[in-house]
């Protein structure tokens, strides 16, 4: 494939770049990270390597190979003795003859035949994998030679005419472009693979210390280390991605300020010969630390309508608004984990946004899950514990684009919903919840909610959002947006690109006993009672609830528990 109809430059295959870089990895790590690995074929190749290096181990290697495909969960104990005999022989051979390669082959035997439940196997692999990971930075020195070779292969003959008759790109320029592209692709592949390798190393360390991997129970270490490691390091990856976005935004803002200052200087120089330049105001508007000037001023248009537009917003216009600070995250996580024991991963993915911050701020997030999973309640309880206030928007009833404000020329002029939330709660960073986002109306008579919300989700546009009612730019960049949905299919692509999607799992029957205490606390709160005054359910009452609730909707579980509590209270009054 070519870059254009007149160029013979081949496209860079990112998967090919990944395979090329992966081939440079040390063998144990390479085996763990190879997504295209066929385990039976890999075992046969390993047996041939063992026989070539240690001919004396041939009978043991063949016995292991013939028994390795047996499923240990089915009660066949033969793979374990065969594996132990082979690994012990290779370990002794490596020590006696100073052959580290024999020890490496024994490690790969463990990788290809042990499960993630085997803590001893993970303990054996933890140090070798770490040592191989430590050697990865040296691979950078080998990438230029690979890029050079792939460039020669991509362009065909190394020598030829400088410009082909049917090619508008000179050969020297084509070579430079392709070489740069391969260097970039290989560097990016190495960066991604190093991240996966660090996850595999972390997974081996956790499993060796008695950790467990619920979703890979009984699975082999080959895919297990990589998948479990990705899950372990997901929060770190999210935090790094957020830090990179902030760094890029800061650089972009600095560049824009520099360009703006340069344009102002040029304009001033051009106008100085025609008009005198008045002295500039040297005292900037004072905004205390931890505050934001959301609305600097609303200019008078010469009509009485201006008074009705600004009435009620005097505490916001021209006054710095405080930012709610980040509380104790350990205590906050404990509270949310008590109320939502089935959604610990979702809670951690949300709270990672607050790590290292002084004020509260979340990335635009879509909580995706089945009805009744507790998506809206999680957002509400998060706002409650953070003390930021929750402004709820029902996407099924919201009238078109009014979320972004309505124009001053209309009698129903109203600022954007974030301004309303800031005014009500008195902080510049409240939490806005858009419920059932995928069910918003698709008619565009008065604008669509999906289109109106787009500029409010981007920091650059939200920081200088042109409010139609105030007819001035306002700073809404500190608003936290959380939406809920049962499916992302109806949402347009631009909106999905701006939202981080977090799965909100439905509670299972296994979560019942952990869910009953927070449900009881919620019932007490709704009745205005101290939760300690509502006794816990006894064994028979729990069995009654279990028969009526098999998992799924928390709302249904709450109704069942409340019915049991009500029946218990009625029975006690009768006696």
């Amino acid at each position: 494939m070519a870059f254009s109809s007149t160029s013979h430059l081949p496209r860079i295959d990112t998967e090919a770049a990944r395979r090329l870089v992966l081939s440079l990895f040390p063998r144990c790590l390479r085996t763990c990270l190879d997504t295209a690995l066929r385990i039976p074929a890999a075992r046969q190749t390993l047996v041939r390597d063992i026989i070539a290096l240690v001919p004396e181990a041939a009978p043991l290697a063949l016995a292991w190979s013939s028994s390795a495909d047996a499923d240990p969960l089915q009660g066949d104990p033969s793979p374990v003795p065969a594996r132990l005999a082979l690994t012990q022989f290779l370990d002794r051979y490596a020590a006696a003859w100073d052959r580290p390669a024999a020890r490496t082959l024994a490690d790969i035997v463990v990788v290809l035949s042990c499960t993630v439940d085997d803590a001893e196997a993970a303990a054996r692999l933890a140090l070798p994998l770490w040592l191989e990971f430590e050697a990865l930075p040296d691979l950078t020195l080998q990438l230029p030679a690979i890029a050079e070779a792939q460039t020669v292969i991509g362009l065909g003959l190394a020598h030829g005419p400088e410009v082909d008759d049917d090619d508008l790109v000179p050969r020297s320029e084509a070579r430079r472009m392709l070489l740069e592209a391969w260097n970039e692709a290989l560097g990016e592949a190495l960066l991604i693979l190093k991240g996966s390798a660090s996850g595999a190393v972390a997974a081996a360390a956790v499993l060796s210390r008695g950790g467990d991997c619920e979703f890979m129970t009984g699975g082999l270490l080959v895919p297990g280390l990589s998948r479990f490691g990705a899950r372990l390091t997901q929060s770190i990856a999210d935090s790094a991605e957020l830090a990179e976005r902030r760094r890029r935004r800061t650089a972009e803002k600095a560049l824009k300020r520099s360009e703006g200052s340069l344009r102002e200087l040029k304009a001033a120089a051009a106008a100085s010969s025609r008009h005198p330049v008045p002295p500039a105001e040297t005292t900037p508007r004072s905004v205390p630390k931890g505050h934001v000037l959301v609305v600097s001023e609303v200019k008078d248009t010469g009509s009485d309508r201006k008074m009705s537009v600004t009435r009620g917003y005097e505490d916001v216009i021209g006054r710095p608004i405080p930012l709610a600070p980040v509380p104790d995250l350990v205590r906050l996580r404990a509270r949310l984990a008590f109320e939502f024991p089935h959604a610990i991963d979702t809670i951690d993915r949300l709270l990672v946004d607050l790590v290292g911050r002084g004020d509260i701020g979340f990335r635009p997030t879509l909580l995706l899950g089945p009805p009744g999973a507790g998506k809206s309640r999680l957002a509400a309880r998060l706002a409650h514990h953070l003390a930021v206030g929750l402004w709820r928007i029902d996407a099924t009833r919201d009238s078109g684009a009014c979320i972004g404000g309505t124009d001053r020329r209309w009698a129903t002029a109203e600022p954007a919903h974030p301004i309303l939330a800031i005014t009500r709660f008195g902080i510049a960073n409240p939490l806005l919840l858009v419920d059932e986002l995928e069910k918003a109306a698709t008619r565009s008579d008065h604008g669509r909610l999906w289109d109106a919300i787009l500029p409010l989700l981007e920091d650059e546009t939200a920081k200088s959002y042109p409010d139609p009612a105030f007819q001035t730019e306002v700073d809404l960049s500190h608003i936290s947006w959380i939406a809920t949905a049962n499916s992302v299919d109806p949402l347009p692509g631009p909106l999905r690109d701006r939202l981080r999607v977090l799965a909100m799992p439905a509670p299972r029957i296994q979560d019942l006993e952990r869910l009953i205490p927070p449900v009881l606390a919620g019932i007490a709160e709704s009745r205005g009672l101290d939760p300690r005054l509502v006794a816990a359910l006894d064994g028979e009452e729990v069995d009654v609830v279990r028969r009526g609730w098999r998992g799924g909707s928390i709302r249904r579980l709450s109704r069942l528990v409340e019915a049991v509590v009500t029946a218990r209270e009625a029975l006690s009054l009768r006696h």
Side-chain angles (χ1 to χ4, degrees), residues 355-370:
V355 176
R357 289 182 59 100
D359 54 84
I360 294 168
F362 293 96
R363 294 162 55 189
T365 300
L366 177 68
L367 295 179
L368 182 68

Side-chain angles (χ1 to χ4, degrees), residues 175-494:
R175 183 184 182 283
R176 183 190 65 79
M177 293 168 60
L178 191 57
L179 183 60
E180 289 180 357
W182 269 111
N183 275 312
E184 182 178 353
L186 293 171
E188 184 176 353
L190 177 59
L191 186 63
I192 295 173
L193 285 170
K194 284 175 66 176
S196 300
S198 66
V201 172
V206 170
L207 293 172
S208 69
R209 302 298 295 177
D212 58 354
C213 178
E214 296 179 358
F215 67 97
M216 286 292 295
T217 301
L220 286 175
L221 278 169
V222 178
L225 287 178
S226 180
R227 295 178 189 174
F228 186 39
R231 185 169 182 175
L232 285 174
T233 58
Q234 185 61 55
S235 297
I236 300 174
D238 286 349
S239 182
E241 180 185 0
L242 180 61
E244 175 60 20
R245 289 187 179 182
R246 288 177 182 163
R247 185 199 63 76
R248 187 167 62 249
R249 292 192 192 107
T250 301
E252 291 173 352
K253 290 177 183 177
L255 180 60
K256 287 184 178 180
R257 285 196 297 269
S258 299
E259 293 175 348
S261 300
L262 182 60
R263 286 195 298 268
E264 291 176 2
L265 289 174
K266 290 181 178 179
S272 60
S273 59
R274 300 190 301 271
H275 306 285
V277 179
E281 183 181 354
T282 58
T283 305
R285 187 186 300 272
S286 176
V287 178
K289 184 178 181 180
H291 290 63
V292 175
L293 189 63
V294 177
V295 186
S296 58
E297 62 176 346
V298 177
K299 295 182 179 179
D300 189 357
T301 59
S303 66
D304 294 337
R305 190 179 299 276
K306 176 256 182 185
M307 295 300 298
S308 63
V309 169
T310 60
R311 185 178 295 120
Y313 304 100
E314 293 83 2
D315 293 337
V316 174
I317 299 173
R319 297 187 180 184
I321 310 299
L323 291 164
V326 174
D328 183 347
L329 293 181
V330 175
R331 182 177 300 177
L332 173 61
R333 184 184 186 274
R335 291 176 176 175
L336 292 173
F338 169 73
E339 298 182 32
F340 303 91
H342 62 290
I344 301 297
D345 288 346
T346 305
I347 292 169
D348 288 342
R349 297 284 299 278
L350 282 169
L351 296 187
V352 75
D353 289 354
L354 303 182
V355 176
R357 289 182 59 100
D359 54 84
I360 294 168
F362 293 96
R363 294 162 55 189
T365 300
L366 177 68
L367 295 179
L368 182 68
K375 303 182 293 296
S376 302
R377 178 165 173 76
L378 175 59
R381 299 304 294 170
L382 181 64
H384 170 77
H385 292 307
L386 290 171
V388 294
L390 179 74
W391 184 272
R392 187 187 299 269
I393 301 164
D394 188 347
T396 61
R397 292 199 297 262
D398 193 86
S399 55
C402 71
I403 189 174
T406 51
D407 200 279
R408 183 187 296 189
R409 58 183 173 169
W410 304 110
T412 56
E414 185 179 65
H417 279 227
I419 294 289
L420 303 180
I422 291 170
T423 304
R424 172 181 295 182
F425 302 120
I427 55 174
N429 54 342
L431 193 152
L432 270 71
L433 170 65
V434 185
D435 230 348
E436 299 186 289
L437 180 61
E438 85 281 15
K439 297 182 177 65
T442 57
R443 294 182 58 182
S444 58
D445 301 15
H446 303 288
R448 296 194 308 173
L449 181 147
W450 291 343
D451 299 328
I453 202 175
L454 288 177
L456 299 171
L457 301 179
E458 290 281 357
D459 270 0
E460 290 299 324
T461 50
K463 191 173 183 64
S464 55
Y465 179 74
D467 186 86
F470 289 160
Q471 294 190 0
T472 188
E473 291 186 349
V474 296
D475 185 357
L476 306 178
S477 59
H478 297 275
I479 297 291
S480 294
W481 290 91
I482 294 183
T484 67
N486 304 133
S487 171
V488 297
D489 294 337
L491 301 180

